[in-house]
Amino acid sequence: MRPRLNVVLMWHMHQPEYRDPFSGEYQRPWTYLHALKDYVDMAAHLEAHPKARAVVNFVPILLEQIEDYAIALKEHLAVNAPLPDPLLRALASSQAPQGEEDRAELIETCLRAHEQRLIKRFAPYAELAGMARDFLKKPNELRYLSDSFFADLTVWYHLAWLGETVRRQDIRARTLIHKGRGFDAADRRLLLELIADLVGGVLGRYRHLADCGQVELSMTPYAHPIMPLLLDITSAREAWPEVKLPDEVVYPGGEERVRWHLDEGFRVFERFFGRRPMGCWPSEGSLSEQTLPLLREAGFEWCATGSQVLHHSLRASGLHERYQHCLHRFYAMDDDGLTLFFRDDGLSDLIGFKYADWHADHAVDDLIGHLVKIADACHDGPYVASIIMDGENAWEYYPENGFYLLDALYRRLAEHPRLRLTTFQDLLEEAPPRTPLTSLVAGSWVYGTFSTWIGEKDKNRGWELLIDAKKTYDRVMASGRLSTMEQRTAERQLGICEGSDWFWWFGDYNPSEAVRDFERLYRLHLRRLYELLGERPPAALDQVLAKGHGDPSMGGVMRTGQGS
């Protein structure tokens, strides 16, 4: 019998730090909304298919925010403590905002959803959305909208963002959907209790799945930094020789900062899941030869990135012709190093970008057809097809939040005679032979380069501001004037500033609203860092860094494929 092809599904869960560093208030609600819709659904699908296996990757700073929301919701329901998110406060409040600007902002927030999949799916929500858009065209008339209109709109927004498994199974969700209109204080309380239960319980569900051996949990460094660029900004030239880099091309103390993100990530991860992860999805699949020893030193046994990094590396090694009949191998840079897995970009992007408009059975037929072809080509040893993608954003484009696709995907992959659904950890326990690479070209899952985070005017300016802040940080830390607690607070604040998402959104091709939000929040975090260091923030932080020119209606919600 021909050996079965190993197939690994890895879902990456990531949201950046959305809290205002001064007030602690969330500037965007995506962390808890994705928890309600996607993190809950993804756990439920695995629970419904106990023979299925998957790797689920978490960014530690996301774990902390989910916990923060869970605590805030619990305290609000218990003693009416204030909620740290304006959208949740609007849901809880019996009174609509009074000012014209505040009313418009709440309406715009409650319209940030996929028109076909989330808004038009529910007739009452679609009717409310139509009225809301009409009033936005006549801002002077916003004052005439009643408190009940805003109550219905905010309730429906949250009902639309619930996971499909919740809408089907939870009596509270079904009751509210059936009521449809005229939601009163008791209804809003019921919905808040449902939200609190879902957010407060979701991480425990993944821990249980890991305890049962069905799921392998892996990790990204703490605040999602691009480690190769912290180690060596010029590594961007390896896959993109003509890139225009910032004026300064050395990030001071980058190796120390990478170690901090790894150590802090482990500390947070172990607190939530009671285990140390064996594997790492480095932020955006960003890897370089300098990064690998640090990952191994931290204790990881595997890491993964995109297939374009593999193609660049094989060409640089002169090995492409030798391996091209089957690239789905276990790779390593040396005998003692990490095992490297490479995302099958084609298969992953079929789920992330193409199958949303297909019938679920046809989509899974197509995917399995591709996998069987790989199994036929890769028949002379153990091989693995790695499907790695975002576990949250793509599903908004699918009917019923991808319910039918995910249900069929797990069921049929787990039962297929030519395919073996497994995890990276279980594969390594079998000690498979590893294919040697003589070089690894630095890059990420996006085009195999770092072009999404550096090389454009606004992105480079963001790096220059960060480098200036890091120099100030080093000087103040060396002075010894901060207490141990003050040093730890500043250290974490620097880590947030080093996150990759700021640079992702800079650039004039991105939606103006998303650029505005992330640009403002980035400058706030840098300003907060200077203040924690006891230094005056530079005047440059008073100036808008980037504006963007993309479609403002997108609002920065969607990053399908792997990214967050």
Side-chain angles (χ1 to χ4, degrees):
M1 291 182 62
R2 290 173 293 183
R4 292 192 295 171
L5 174 70
N6 297 300
V7 179
V8 173
L9 298 174
M10 192 182 97
W11 311 111
H12 173 57
M13 312 299 198
H14 165 53
Q15 292 295 321
E17 174 62 86
Y18 286 115
R19 285 170 287 194
D20 183 306
F22 294 95
S23 69
E25 182 166 294
Y26 285 87
Q27 302 301 290
R28 280 290 176 254
W30 307 128
T31 294
Y32 88 85
L33 290 178
H34 280 295
L36 298 179
K37 187 171 77 68
D38 303 305
Y39 309 150
V40 163
D41 260 5
M42 295 299 278
H45 281 291
L46 285 161
E47 291 163 347
H49 296 280
K51 293 183 179 180
R53 310 293 299 285
V55 179
V56 182
N57 187 85
F58 281 101
V59 178
I61 203 166
L62 167 63
L63 299 174
E64 290 183 330
Q65 290 179 89
I66 292 174
E67 178 186 51
D68 187 50
Y69 269 113
I71 292 171
L73 285 160
K74 183 177 180 180
E75 292 180 348
H76 174 79
L77 291 169
V79 297
N80 202 32
L83 290 163
D85 189 292
L87 183 56
L88 281 175
R89 288 201 301 272
L91 177 63
S93 176
S94 60
Q95 188 176 43
Q98 296 304 299
E100 176 184 299
E101 185 175 334
D102 291 338
R103 288 187 162 218
E105 182 176 355
L106 179 56
I107 287 174
E108 289 169 354
T109 297
C110 290
L111 295 178
R112 290 194 185 102
H114 193 284
E115 183 72 20
Q116 191 66 37
R117 302 302 190 196
L118 295 187
I119 295 178
K120 289 186 177 179
R121 180 181 177 188
F122 304 101
Y125 186 18
E127 183 178 341
L128 289 165
M131 291 176 59
R133 292 190 179 101
D134 288 341
F135 273 93
L136 285 177
K137 298 173 185 176
K138 301 172 285 187
N140 291 335
E141 298 183 15
L142 286 172
R143 63 183 181 274
Y144 297 122
L145 288 170
S146 66
D147 289 347
S148 62
F149 172 86
F150 283 97
D152 285 358
L153 184 63
T154 53
V155 167
W156 265 112
Y157 186 68
H158 287 86
L159 291 176
W161 272 86
L162 290 177
E164 183 65 20
T165 59
V166 178
R167 283 195 291 264
R168 290 173 181 234
Q169 299 169 8
D170 194 288
I171 188 62
R172 293 167 292 185
R174 295 172 67 179
T175 298
L176 293 170
I177 290 171
H178 179 72
K179 182 171 184 177
R181 304 174 186 278
F183 299 111
D184 56 22
D187 296 322
R188 296 195 304 275
R189 170 87 182 190
L190 184 67
L191 182 53
L192 281 168
E193 290 172 352
L194 173 57
I195 292 171
D197 288 346
L198 295 172
V199 175
V202 66
L203 296 182
R205 295 170 73 174
Y206 284 100
R207 180 169 181 166
H208 178 70
L209 286 165
D211 289 342
C212 294
Q214 188 178 353
V215 161
E216 176 186 356
L217 295 174
S218 61
M219 185 192 90
T220 296
Y222 175 71
H224 208 262
I226 303 296
M227 294 184 289
L229 294 180
L230 294 183
L231 293 169
D232 179 9
I233 289 175
T234 66
S235 67
R237 292 182 176 138
E238 293 183 25
W240 186 18
E242 65 274 19
V243 59
K244 181 175 175 55
L245 295 176
D247 291 340
E248 294 198 50
V249 293
V250 175
Y251 188 75
E255 184 173 320
E256 178 186 359
R257 293 304 301 160
V258 167
R259 285 195 171 94
W260 181 88
H261 280 277
L262 292 170
D263 291 342
E264 185 68 5
F266 279 127
R267 184 188 67 79
V268 174
F269 187 97
E270 290 181 72
R271 180 167 69 84
F272 282 98
F273 297 124
R275 56 175 46 78
R276 194 173 179 89
M278 290 180 57
C280 177
W281 172 256
S283 317
E284 308 291 1
S286 57
L287 280 180
S288 65
E289 288 190 11
Q290 286 180 273
T291 309
L292 296 181
L294 298 179
L295 294 175
R296 184 60 174 167
E297 174 189 299
F300 288 114
E301 296 187 18
W302 65 262
C303 64
T305 182
S307 61
Q308 283 300 315
V309 175
L310 175 62
H311 290 303
H312 292 162
S313 301
L314 289 176
R315 291 189 181 99
S317 305
L319 298 172
H320 201 276
E321 293 295 324
R322 185 186 303 177
Y323 299 151
Q324 67 176 351
H325 76 281
C326 185
L327 298 175
H328 297 78
R329 302 167 180 264
F330 301 77
Y331 293 90
M333 281 292 295
D334 56 68
D335 290 340
D336 297 324
L338 292 158
T339 298
L340 304 178
F341 294 101
F342 292 92
R343 174 184 190 262
D344 187 309
D345 290 346
L347 297 181
S348 304
D349 290 346
L350 285 173
I351 300 175
F353 297 103
K354 186 174 181 179
Y355 287 155
D357 296 323
W358 290 35
H359 188 285
D361 289 336
H362 297 162
V364 176
D365 283 342
D366 187 70
L367 184 71
I368 288 177
H370 288 293
L371 288 168
V372 170
K373 287 180 181 179
I374 295 171
D376 289 340
C378 303
H379 54 76
D380 57 343
Y383 293 95
V384 55
S386 303
I387 298 175
I388 302 174
M389 59 173 286
D390 193 305
E392 51 203 20
N393 288 325
W395 313 124
E396 185 169 341
Y397 293 89
Y398 278 78
E400 284 76 40
N401 205 40
F403 179 91
Y404 298 106
L405 178 110
L406 289 165
D407 181 69
L409 184 69
Y410 281 129
R411 173 172 45 82
R412 294 181 59 190
L413 287 181
E415 297 172 351
H416 200 281
R418 296 290 311 284
L419 307 173
R420 177 193 180 207
L421 198 55
T422 185
T423 67
F424 293 132
Q425 178 178 344
D426 282 356
L427 287 173
L428 292 187
E429 289 177 359
E430 299 170 1
R434 299 185 303 175
T435 297
L437 291 174
T438 58
S439 66
L440 182 74
V441 176
S444 74
W445 79 276
V446 187
Y447 313 126
T449 71
F450 298 131
S451 59
T452 303
W453 303 275
I454 202 165
E456 188 270 344
K457 175 176 64 69
D458 294 340
K459 299 178 192 294
N460 288 349
R461 182 57 180 147
W463 276 99
E464 289 162 0
L465 292 174
L466 177 60
I467 290 170
D468 288 343
K470 180 58 163 61
K471 290 178 178 178
T472 301
Y473 171 91
D474 289 343
R475 174 172 55 79
V476 172
M477 287 295 190
S479 73
R481 72 183 192 217
L482 299 183
S483 68
T484 300
M485 183 60 67
E486 289 171 333
Q487 289 181 25
R488 289 176 179 171
T489 303
E491 196 171 40
R492 181 183 179 277
Q493 184 62 35
L494 174 62
I496 292 170
C497 296
E498 291 167 335
S500 69
D501 291 86
W502 318 117
F503 308 101
W504 171 290
W505 287 109
F506 298 157
D508 60 9
Y509 52 83
N510 274 320
S512 56
E513 183 178 359
V515 174
R516 178 200 68 193
D517 293 343
F518 276 88
E519 184 274 340
R520 173 183 170 276
L521 198 51
Y522 181 56
R523 287 188 289 117
L524 281 176
H525 279 296
L526 286 172
R527 180 178 292 279
R528 178 60 175 158
L529 175 61
Y530 278 101
E531 294 193 4
L532 289 171
L533 295 170
E535 297 286 314
R536 183 187 297 275
L541 294 183
D542 295 325
Q543 302 170 7
V544 174
L545 173 62
K547 295 182 179 180
H549 298 287
D551 178 6
S553 68
M554 289 298 293
V557 182
M558 291 295 103
R559 284 179 54 176
T560 53
Q562 183 282 322
S564 56

